[in-house]
Amino acid sequence: MTASPDLGSGAQPALPPLFPFAAIAGQPLLCQALLLAAIDPQLGGVLIEGPRGTAKSTAARALAELIDAAPFVTLPLGASLEHLAGSLDLGQAMAGHALKFAPGLLARAHGGVLYVDEINLLPDALVDVLLDAAASGVNVVERDGISHRHAARFVLVGTMNPEEGQLRPQLLDRLGLCVRLANVQDPAQRQAIVRARLLFDADPAAFRARHAGAQAALAAQLRTARERLQPAGALPWSDAVLQAAGALCIAAQVDGLRADLVLLRAARAWAAWLGDAEVTPDHVQAVAELVLVHRRKPGAPQPQPHPQPRPQQQSPQQAPSNPPSQSPAQIRPPAESTANGAGDSPPSEADWGAMPPEPVGLLRVAVPSLLAREAAKSGAPATKKA
């Protein structure tokens, strides 16, 4: 007979092994957005929109493993404001001691990843506090007779299914990056993803050992990218970069200047990930859709690509997603093709969809009054209507 575990011994149960970040396939934009947020947490986090079963939670949990000594904290839907931000330590207060602050989930997530599943179902008050701390890196508590602030530098990852409701535009704008996932339709890629998951479930240790080298390389590259952003004035950008970011934001018809600032920070983080010495318009173009997809006004044109894409990027004729064997460290977004083609004079909006004229046969219709008039002129009797 198998002995039951001693639940009262205080021993923590072993956590299930995590699916390695290096083994995630079929979602290059998701991996890119998570890496950018991990490089610069001040971007304001990542919102992942998509249907069920598209690796949203798997990728978020795997990201925390790439960051050195990073906690992974989950915010439940039923959490209160005190549970999230912290409050007065009632035990200390009732014992007659001095007022003491009891840390919340924001304090526990410092230096790691704070994961919010179904963020669109959270009360707006909690989302406001969450986004304030994610953008500023500081949690400020002013209530219950206490005034306290503490560091809260974490990577915010929120997921949602659009079928279950939307976030208010004001809250969407405060989330730095957004990825809109779709179901994988390529049969070969779909089979590769399912095969990898089955191998992991059958033997997690062997599967993780197989990807240990790629996982260590990703962690080292992430650590180096974070360090490259620390010195003041590191990875400068030129006026051309500012112009490229401003032009994309104007074309997207965004409100305010938050999109410009986030776009520049994301481009800087992407340059740090690639190991480049400075930020260029190519970096801006590479992260533009992650910054603008949830801020673009309906009907606004898609952002135009930079005229000289990086040679490492995929060409417009290549598939936009990575093959199953490609590591997230090799992610480089494809260059988008222009909407007007390669002609010297693009057509105007009024001519969009115009088709050349085609010859149409004419059908002669007999009208009784006209027949009678013609018959009178020719002297022939008019045909009577039956």
Side-chain angles (χ1 to χ4, degrees):
M1 180 176 179
T2 304
S4 59
D6 185 7
L7 300 179
S9 61
Q12 295 293 333
L15 296 176
L18 296 176
F19 192 89
F21 193 91
I24 297 176
Q27 300 293 1
L29 288 180
L30 173 60
C31 294
Q32 182 191 18
L34 291 174
L35 290 172
L36 290 174
I39 295 170
D40 186 0
Q42 286 188 323
L43 285 173
V46 180
L47 174 65
I48 308 173
E49 299 183 10
R52 299 175 296 275
T54 49
K56 298 190 296 293
S57 60
T58 298
R61 289 179 171 85
L63 177 67
E65 194 176 17
L66 294 180
I67 307 174
D68 296 334
F72 183 84
V73 179
T74 301
L75 175 62
L77 284 178
S80 64
L81 187 58
E82 292 77 13
H83 190 196
L84 174 64
S87 62
L88 178 67
D89 190 334
L90 295 179
Q92 293 286 338
M94 295 181 65
H97 302 293
L99 297 181
K100 185 178 179 181
F101 177 74
L105 293 179
L106 294 179
R108 289 174 50 192
H110 178 61
V113 176
L114 180 58
Y115 176 67
V116 187
D117 194 15
E118 306 297 347
I119 190 174
N120 53 323
L121 303 182
L122 278 180
D124 289 346
L126 268 67
V127 178
D128 285 333
V129 173
L130 193 63
L131 295 178
D132 284 341
S136 64
V138 178
N139 178 39
V140 180
V141 181
E142 297 281 354
R143 64 178 180 278
D144 296 334
I146 60 174
S147 178
H148 184 78
R149 62 174 54 207
H150 64 81
R153 183 78 64 198
F154 54 85
V155 181
L156 173 63
V157 180
T159 63
M160 59 175 283
N161 188 343
E163 298 177 355
E164 299 175 354
Q166 295 288 341
L167 280 170
R168 291 191 294 115
Q170 294 83 351
L171 298 178
L172 275 176
D173 183 52
R174 296 175 62 187
L175 285 160
L177 308 176
C178 178
V179 184
R180 290 179 175 172
L181 304 180
N183 292 314
V184 178
Q185 302 296 337
D186 181 74
Q189 192 174 61
R190 195 179 185 98
Q191 294 172 18
I193 295 173
V194 172
R195 186 179 297 109
R197 185 68 204 192
L198 292 176
L199 290 174
F200 173 77
D201 293 339
D203 192 345
F207 187 87
R208 288 175 57 83
R210 191 177 305 118
H211 293 85
Q215 189 81 352
L218 277 177
Q221 188 174 358
L222 177 59
R223 188 184 312 111
T224 302
R226 289 163 68 101
E227 293 173 353
R228 297 190 68 214
L229 293 185
Q230 297 304 319
L235 297 176
W237 46 60
S238 62
D239 290 342
V241 173
L242 294 174
Q243 293 173 3
L248 289 170
C249 293
I250 292 174
Q253 302 177 11
V254 300
D255 292 327
L257 298 175
R258 182 178 283 116
D260 301 65
L261 298 174
V262 175
L263 183 53
L264 291 172
R265 295 191 72 102
R268 186 169 176 258
W270 187 239
W273 173 259
L274 298 178
D276 295 335
E278 62 179 5
V279 184
T280 67
D282 289 333
H283 300 126
V284 175
Q285 181 62 42
V287 300
E289 192 61 14
L290 297 174
V291 177
L292 300 176
V293 66
H294 59 304
R295 295 183 171 95
R296 185 179 295 116
K297 290 291 184 64
Q302 297 292 323
Q304 296 296 320
H306 191 260
Q308 295 180 351
R310 296 176 62 97
Q312 295 91 342
Q313 290 178 332
Q314 294 177 340
S315 63
Q317 290 78 17
Q318 289 177 315
S321 58
N322 293 336
S325 59
Q326 189 172 6
S327 166
Q330 301 171 316
I331 296 172
R332 291 182 183 272
E336 298 180 13
S337 59
T338 56
N340 296 326
D344 295 334
S345 57
S348 63
E349 294 183 0
D351 295 333
W352 186 90
M355 298 180 64
E358 297 181 0
V360 179
L362 298 179
L363 177 63
R364 188 178 298 276
V365 180
V367 181
S369 59
L370 294 179
L371 290 177
R373 189 181 306 170
E374 294 295 333
K377 290 182 180 180
S378 60
T383 303
K384 294 184 179 180
K385 183 177 179 181

